[in-house]
Amino acid sequence: MPRVTLPADIAERLAKLAPPSQAVIDGALVEAASGATFHNVSPRDGQVLNLVTACQADDVERAVAGARAAFEDGRWRDQGPRQKKAVLFRLAELMERDADELALLESLDVGKPISDARNVDIPLAINTCRWYAEALDKVYGEVGTSPADRLSYAVHEPLGVIGAIVPWNFPLHMAMWKVAPALAMGNSVVLKPAEQSPLTALKLGALALEAGLPPGVLNVVPGLGGVAGEALALSMDVDMIAFTGSGPVGRRLMEYSARSNLKRVSLELGGKSPQIVFADCPDLEAAAQAAAWGVFYNQGEVCTAASRLLVEASIKDAFLARVIEVAKGMKVGDPLDPSTQFGAMVSERQMKTALDYIATADSQGARRVLGGQRVRQETGGFYVEPTIFDQVRPDHTLAREEVFGPVLGVMTFQSEDEAMRLANDTVYGLAAGLWTADVSRALRGARRLKAGLVWVNGWDACDITMPFGGFKQSGFGRDRSLHALHKYADLKSVSVTLR
């Protein structure tokens, strides 16, 4: 397959691109003290993009020490709301100025279509920065009811040093979900990007310094999770770890908290989200589009991916046929081609994981009705085509484990009660959706579904104003909305006796 001829503007930016590689520690762009680096591989073609600084434990502790010093001397914490807003708004402006570069870095780093990076991921990250800049003076304290000789009140105070460990599927967007509210509350942050996707985080660290964020307030420490991430989580001088990623790593972070200083831990973990389509669905075409894009967007590498499709038996065959048509129409291609809708998986390992789940589904008797193969292998990249299995049983691996790839499992139900039982039959509880014209059924379902996010007659139908997080083994703590600001603060009660 010949390589696509890229548009002139993308080709020109690609030719001039110098991917960032250095850590950002205490206001400076630095190498690891040991000189260690790691290969940053692009899933687009399997080629090494650059060598990135591999922070070791001593580098992380240097970043934590810089963050602690910055917090304790108040260089950011003690600035007024107007000053903090000005810096965060300036950061958003700089991100907007460099949006094309950020989109190119994101697409190269993780294999997502550049049209998605440019039109979705980067604008959402910028909006998050602006939203929290505007929201930071909207966090109010409380005045308690007190006797006449006492004044009692409660105030929110920043926690201190926040360790933010973010995933590779939406690198900059997820980083801003944590960095922006943490900074807005006056904390210092040490950001650990996933080793598969360090580039936009490193660029963010440099832009923050350019925006006027004081040295030490935002540090970025690229490196391997088992080295840099572990050192951050075990540090005795980190007050909180905010993490998005896998369940096994989330458990490990809680252990590290217990082994160190009992730091707070906020976890946004995996999901096995159900999308339920009743026969009275008010718009079957919209539901079919949502069923396909709900699981195949971003190559299925989405924590809220609607990887379980539950369809009322009376409409299942016709509805599934339409979902298959939608999936077949998705253009799989070079992530840098603006017409591509479905890019590469983030790594060879993740690609092999998806292919293993497909093989398991085949062996357990699910009926594969679409896809299931590695494609574009001649490019050297890591591509798996959209894949759909029908006749998935509740005990199948595909119904129970998160694939984090482009694989959809279809199940049927006969009644509302059965639909709710199947939907809740999972250790996860991140997201769920249902399609129905019956308002009472919609409200009953929203109440019965055990998930932190419930969407009715839509999928992923919410924004920065609403909290994001899960139930059960999908974690605890909330990103987005004003609730995220409270997460990065302590609540102090003060009582003054009048003399």
Side-chain angles (χ1 to χ4, degrees), residues 31-162:
E31 310 288 348
S34 66
T37 60
F38 65 91
H39 289 84
N40 184 32
V41 175
S42 174
R44 175 188 181 230
D45 54 11
Q47 298 299 306
V48 175
L49 277 171
N50 66 336
L51 297 180
V52 175
T53 295
C55 288
Q56 307 298 299
D58 56 341
D59 303 302
V60 172
E61 280 306 312
R62 189 155 43 102
V64 171
R68 175 59 63 188
F71 182 76
E72 296 300 337
D73 69 22
R75 69 187 75 164
W76 175 251
R77 179 196 66 198
D78 294 344
Q79 289 191 32
R82 182 175 296 178
Q83 288 74 33
K84 288 193 181 82
K85 280 189 178 190
V87 173
L88 291 178
F89 277 130
R90 177 59 178 155
L91 175 56
E93 290 171 0
L94 294 174
M95 292 169 67
E96 200 161 57
R97 180 197 69 189
D98 293 348
D100 287 335
E101 179 185 352
L102 289 166
L104 182 57
L105 291 171
E106 207 81 301
S107 183
L108 286 168
D109 224 5
V110 300
K112 68 174 64 220
I114 194 165
S115 55
D116 289 341
R118 185 62 184 87
N119 298 322
V120 181
D121 293 42
I122 305 308
L124 286 175
I126 294 168
N127 181 63
T128 298
C129 189
R130 286 201 172 110
W131 198 87
Y132 282 107
E134 192 58 60
L136 64 83
D137 60 358
K138 311 298 189 297
V139 179
Y140 301 107
E142 306 170 19
V143 176
T145 54
S146 306
D149 65 345
R150 188 185 311 142
L151 173 65
S152 295
Y153 59 94
V155 293
H156 297 277
E157 295 191 349
L159 286 176
V161 176
I162 309 298

Side-chain angles (χ1 to χ4, degrees), residues 240-261:
M240 177 183 179
I241 291 290
F243 173 71
T244 295
S246 71
V249 175
R251 285 179 168 83
R252 204 172 306 145
L253 293 174
M254 294 185 73
E255 293 175 8
Y256 292 163
S257 171
R259 285 169 50 189
S260 55
N261 59 343

